[in-house]
């Protein structure tokens, strides 16, 4: 059913290369394509440096693309400029891990929350003041927080303020980049519950980025697994445990279970370091660490292919 719907966001052959000081180029995102459907939460997981934040920054237009394109509501938004870019930013908001770092420490919380409303001239100061109170209430903070400064808030409270600010402009898409990673487990659960409640209430769509597969799986309906700038697997969250195919996804899953298991059954761990993204292997990016590596994997990059309905993997084990 989902496949027939028009996606809200369509990313095609997206590549981002950074120029390094030594003259080399670093490929942070390597020719990736995916869709975000209206009302869904799409998870993106993968270890540090695999390109997750680069995707988030490109989608919120904080970074330009090297090649490829992005379509939002059937409109190409890859190279928007000026007022069009500004208006588009309203619709696609981002919540970072340390969102509070972008708060002006000398501004009170009330001011921080109403600032985007005034910047976009959506209402006058008095109206924005009462709107800020409503927004804070939505994220579970009392009016009393309006007069506090950022340093007087806990990490969880600051993340709630970041959420209030992000939803103030009535976006359609919120990209959460490690938005709950720095929080204690119990606070993390509360913030995730808040995000899910807001999703239902406001019909939001999320891209939820994290390195913790257990957390990402809980909130997302679909998961993209990345390795070294590429998508290695796309799978529905509820099929993940039973049907994960790519050796990297399986290893990630094994490490999730290892935290919870008490017996001493041997688990698969990923040994070694990923290769440097400025010096990519010729074949599969995971070949240097994969226990199932074959000759072909050293020579040819596997393409992402549909291996069963709505389940995609980029691995020579599943390709003729
Ligand atoms: N402005 C930049 N200039 C050069 N290289 C960059 C730049 N931004 C990111 N990179 C590199 O691109 C790669 C992907 O980085 P990115 O921040 O997207 O990873 P990530 O998956 O978000 O990692 P983490 O889980 O640690 O947040 C890394 O190798 C990083 O060093
Ligand atoms: Mg990141």
């Amino acid at each position: 059913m989902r496949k027939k719907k028009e996606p809200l966001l369509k990313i095609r052959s997206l590549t981002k290369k950074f120029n390094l000081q030594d003259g080399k180029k670093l490929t942070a995102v390597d020719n990736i394509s995916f869709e975000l459907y209206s009302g869904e939460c799409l998870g993106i997981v993968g270890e540090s440096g695999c390109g997750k934040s680069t995707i988030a920054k490109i989608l919120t237009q904080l970074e330009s693309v090297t090649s490829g394109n992005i379509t939002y509501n059937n409109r190409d938004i890859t190279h928007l400029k000026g007022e069009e870019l500004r208006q588009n930013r309203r619709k696609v908001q981002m919540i970072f891990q340390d969102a509070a770092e972008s708060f002006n420490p000398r501004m009170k919380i009330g001011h921080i929350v109403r600032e985007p409303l005034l910047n976009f001239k959506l209402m006058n100061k008095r109206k924005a003041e009462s709107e800020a109170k409503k927004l804070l209430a939505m994220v579970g903070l009392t009016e009393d927080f309006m007069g506090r400064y950022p340093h007087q808030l806990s990490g969880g409270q600051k993340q709630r303020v970041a959420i209030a600010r992000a939803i103030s402009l009535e976006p359609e898409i919120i990209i959460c980049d490690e938005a709950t990673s720095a929080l204690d487990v119990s606070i993390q659960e509360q913030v995730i519950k808040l995000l899910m409640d807001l999703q239902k209430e406001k019909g939001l769509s999320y891209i939820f980025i994290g390195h913790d597969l257990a957390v990402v799986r809980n909130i997302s309906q679909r998961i993209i697994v990345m390795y070294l700038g590429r998508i290695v697997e796309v799978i529905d969250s509820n099929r993940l445990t039973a049907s994960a195919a790519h050796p990297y996804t399986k290893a990630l899953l094994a490490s999730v279970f290892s935290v919870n298991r008490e017996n001493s059954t041997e688990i698969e761990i990923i040994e070694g370091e990923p290769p440097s993204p400025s010096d990519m292997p010729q074949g599969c990016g995971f070949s240097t660490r994969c226990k199932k590596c074959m000759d072909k994997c050293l020579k040819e990059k596997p393409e992402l292919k549909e291996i069963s309905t709505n389940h995609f993997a980029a691995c020579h084990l599943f390709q003729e």
Side-chain angles (χ1 to χ4, degrees), residues 18-20 26-29 46-55 57 63 97 177-178 209 211 277:
F18 290 109
N19 293 319
L20 299 181
L26 180 151
T27 309
V29 175
E47 67 196 329
S48 184
C50 71
K52 305 180 297 294
S53 294
T54 305
I55 295 180
K57 285 180 197 153
E63 283 284 4
Q97 173 166 348
D177 186 4
E178 306 277 7
I209 297 173
H211 56 272

Side-chain angles (χ1 to χ4, degrees), residues 231-245:
I231 295 179
V232 297
E233 187 154 4
V234 184
I235 185 167
D236 288 342
S237 302
N238 57 13
R239 290 161 72 191
L240 183 70
T241 315
S243 311

Side-chain angles (χ1 to χ4, degrees), residues 170-279:
E170 308 240 293
E172 261 189 310
I173 300 172
I174 298 189
I175 301 179
C176 303
D177 186 4
E178 306 277 7
T180 63
S181 304
L183 306 174
D184 287 346
V185 176
S186 64
I187 309 291
Q188 187 174 53
E189 278 168 11
Q190 288 173 18
V191 173
I192 286 178
K193 181 167 182 314
L194 168 66
L195 288 169
M196 288 166 123
D197 290 346
L198 289 170
Q199 182 183 26
K200 277 196 213 114
E201 200 178 308
K202 297 187 166 285
L204 294 166
S205 309
Y206 290 129
I207 295 182
F208 192 88
I209 297 173
H211 56 272
D212 185 337
L213 184 59
V215 174
V216 175
R217 174 173 61 178
N218 279 345
I219 185 167
S220 318
Q221 286 87 53
R222 222 158 41 99
I223 295 185
I224 288 179
V225 183
M226 287 188 64
Y227 190 83
L228 212 64
R230 291 198 143 214
I231 295 179
V232 297
E233 187 154 4
V234 184
I235 185 167
D236 288 342
S237 302
N238 57 13
R239 290 161 72 191
L240 183 70
T241 315
S243 311
H246 197 284
Y248 177 60
T249 315
K250 285 186 167 173
L252 280 183
L253 265 175
S255 61
V256 171
F257 290 134
S258 72
V259 178
N260 303 321
R261 73 171 57 197
E262 291 187 358
N263 60 33
S264 57
T265 327
E266 209 180 316
I267 53 143
E268 212 180 317
I269 23 172
I270 318 172
E271 284 162 4
E273 290 289 314
S276 157
S278 61
D279 204 3

Side-chain angles (χ1 to χ4, degrees), residues 9-16 29 31-35 58-59 61 64-72 74-80:
L9 204 59
K10 205 154 73 182
I11 286 90
R12 286 292 170 266
S13 309
L14 189 72
T15 294
K16 176 69 187 180
V29 175
N31 190 24
I32 68 166
S33 301
F34 66 92
E35 298 82 31
I58 289 173
L59 295 180
Q61 300 177 303
S64 61
V65 308
T66 304
S67 59
N69 62 67
I70 306 161
T71 317
Y72 171 48
N74 285 322
R75 177 166 167 247
D76 191 329
I77 58 155
T78 322
H79 303 288
L80 292 184

Side-chain angles (χ1 to χ4, degrees), residues 70-169:
I70 306 161
T71 317
Y72 171 48
N73 275 330
N74 285 322
R75 177 166 167 247
D76 191 329
I77 58 155
T78 322
H79 303 288
L80 292 184
K81 288 203 171 68
E83 187 55 22
E84 276 194 319
L85 174 66
R86 211 170 88 89
Q87 289 304 331
N88 196 66
R89 283 210 173 118
R90 259 184 79 179
K91 293 291 164 195
V92 187
Q93 289 284 314
M94 172 138 127
I95 304 169
F96 304 88
Q97 173 166 348
D98 299 308
E101 274 180 20
S102 64
F103 297 167
N104 181 337
R106 286 182 295 276
M107 267 189 198
K108 289 180 179 164
I109 299 302
H111 193 161
I112 290 170
V113 176
R114 67 167 197 245
E115 198 190 23
L117 297 167
L118 297 176
N119 283 348
F120 275 94
K121 300 194 170 55
L122 298 180
M123 49 190 77
N124 64 30
K125 212 169 155 186
R126 240 190 53 222
K127 185 99 200 302
E129 180 86 5
S130 70
E131 187 62 25
K133 287 179 192 162
K134 271 194 227 157
L135 287 161
L136 286 179
M138 260 184 231
V139 297
L141 297 176
T142 55
E143 243 185 84
D144 149 65
F145 280 86
M146 294 282 287
R148 293 213 212 166
Y149 289 97
H151 76 269
Q152 297 171 318
L153 270 62
S154 72
Q157 289 165 342
K158 279 190 270 202
Q159 239 14 27
R160 284 171 189 269
V161 173
I163 295 170
R165 213 174 120 100
I167 60 174
S168 68
L169 297 172

